[in-house]
Amino acid sequence: MPEPRLREKQWDIRFEEELLKQWEQEPGLYAYDAAKGPTYVIDTPPPYPSGEPHPGQVIHYSMIDVAARAQRMLGKAVYFPMGLDRNGINIERTVERKYKKPLHAWDRAEFIAKCREEITTIGEGILRLFQRLGMSADFAHTYYTDADDYRAYSQAIFIDLNRKGLFYRGERPSFYCVSCETPLAEADIHYEERPSKLTWIRF
């Protein structure tokens, strides 16, 4: 009977640390290379750093990583970008809670600086965690949605779509939170069924 290749009876954390060192020395190990085969693109939704990483986030991106690895094994050149979504109301709320100071009580420039500081700390923690998990994303070309080049690219796409007539303007009521004093996306709205009166409002 052949001898087992792994003789250790228990996982040695030093083995994991050695692998992590190797991983950190080669952040572009899984960078896209068109010469490796037909291109397979993963449109990775960038994680939103609004607090500590949580198990759901880890599971979600681990499943994306499984798809990336499977396609590489099938001979594809996989483009698996990694980025951070560094915009939005969640980080504003995180800063408000941390400093116990509402948004409208801040100087605008100071508040933006605090949001950037907070989101950088949280975001870098998420990237370190994903690297420690062994995710095969392209960490050498990490993008940030608040970077000047990313914003310029996004704006150029919107301008192009507008010129092609693919946008339209319309007037409609928007969701507004009276306590936060800010508009809300419909995704942030929680609906409840309650008995009420039907009221007509002329806009």
Short mmCIF file of all heavy atoms in Angstrom, two decimals, residues 1-9:
data_model
loop_
_atom_site.label_atom_id
_atom_site.label_comp_id
_atom_site.label_asym_id
_atom_site.label_seq_id
_atom_site.Cartn_x
_atom_site.Cartn_y
_atom_site.Cartn_z
N MET A 1 0.85 -1.18 0.00
CA MET A 1 0.00 0.00 0.00
C MET A 1 0.90 1.25 0.00
O MET A 1 1.84 1.33 0.77
CB MET A 1 -0.89 -0.03 1.25
CG MET A 1 -1.88 1.09 1.31
SD MET A 1 -3.03 0.80 2.68
CE MET A 1 -4.15 2.09 2.37
N PRO A 2 0.58 2.26 -0.87
CA PRO A 2 1.46 3.45 -0.92
C PRO A 2 1.36 4.27 0.36
O PRO A 2 0.35 4.26 1.05
CB PRO A 2 0.90 4.23 -2.12
CG PRO A 2 -0.49 3.74 -2.31
CD PRO A 2 -0.50 2.32 -1.83
N GLU A 3 2.46 4.99 0.64
CA GLU A 3 2.51 5.84 1.83
C GLU A 3 1.76 7.15 1.56
O GLU A 3 1.84 7.70 0.45
CB GLU A 3 3.97 6.16 2.17
CG GLU A 3 4.74 4.98 2.73
CD GLU A 3 4.24 4.58 4.10
OE1 GLU A 3 3.94 5.49 4.91
OE2 GLU A 3 4.12 3.37 4.36
N PRO A 4 1.05 7.68 2.54
CA PRO A 4 0.37 8.97 2.34
C PRO A 4 1.38 10.09 2.15
O PRO A 4 2.46 10.08 2.75
CB PRO A 4 -0.44 9.16 3.63
CG PRO A 4 0.23 8.29 4.63
CD PRO A 4 0.82 7.14 3.88
N ARG A 5 1.07 11.04 1.27
CA ARG A 5 1.99 12.15 1.02
C ARG A 5 2.03 13.12 2.20
O ARG A 5 3.06 13.71 2.49
CB ARG A 5 1.56 12.91 -0.23
CG ARG A 5 1.77 12.12 -1.50
CD ARG A 5 1.46 12.95 -2.72
NE ARG A 5 1.59 12.16 -3.93
CZ ARG A 5 1.42 12.66 -5.15
NH1 ARG A 5 1.09 13.92 -5.31
NH2 ARG A 5 1.56 11.88 -6.20
N LEU A 6 0.89 13.32 2.86
CA LEU A 6 0.85 14.20 4.02
C LEU A 6 0.89 13.34 5.28
O LEU A 6 -0.04 12.59 5.56
CB LEU A 6 -0.42 15.06 4.01
CG LEU A 6 -0.55 16.07 2.87
CD1 LEU A 6 -1.89 16.77 2.94
CD2 LEU A 6 0.57 17.10 2.92
N ARG A 7 1.97 13.46 6.03
CA ARG A 7 2.13 12.63 7.22
C ARG A 7 1.59 13.31 8.48
O ARG A 7 1.36 12.65 9.49
CB ARG A 7 3.62 12.29 7.43
CG ARG A 7 4.20 11.48 6.28
CD ARG A 7 5.65 11.15 6.52
NE ARG A 7 6.16 10.30 5.46
CZ ARG A 7 5.98 8.99 5.38
NH1 ARG A 7 5.29 8.36 6.31
NH2 ARG A 7 6.47 8.29 4.38
N GLU A 8 1.41 14.64 8.40
CA GLU A 8 0.96 15.36 9.59
C GLU A 8 -0.44 14.89 10.00
O GLU A 8 -1.30 14.72 9.17
CB GLU A 8 0.93 16.88 9.35
CG GLU A 8 2.30 17.49 9.08
CD GLU A 8 2.73 17.37 7.63
OE1 GLU A 8 1.96 16.79 6.84
OE2 GLU A 8 3.82 17.83 7.30
N LYS A 9 -0.62 14.72 11.29
CA LYS A 9 -1.93 14.31 11.80
C LYS A 9 -2.82 15.53 12.04
O LYS A 9 -4.01 15.40 12.22
CB LYS A 9 -1.77 13.55 13.12
CG LYS A 9 -0.97 12.26 12.99
CD LYS A 9 -1.73 11.24 12.19
CE LYS A 9 -0.95 9.93 12.12
NZ LYS A 9 -1.61 8.96 11.23
#
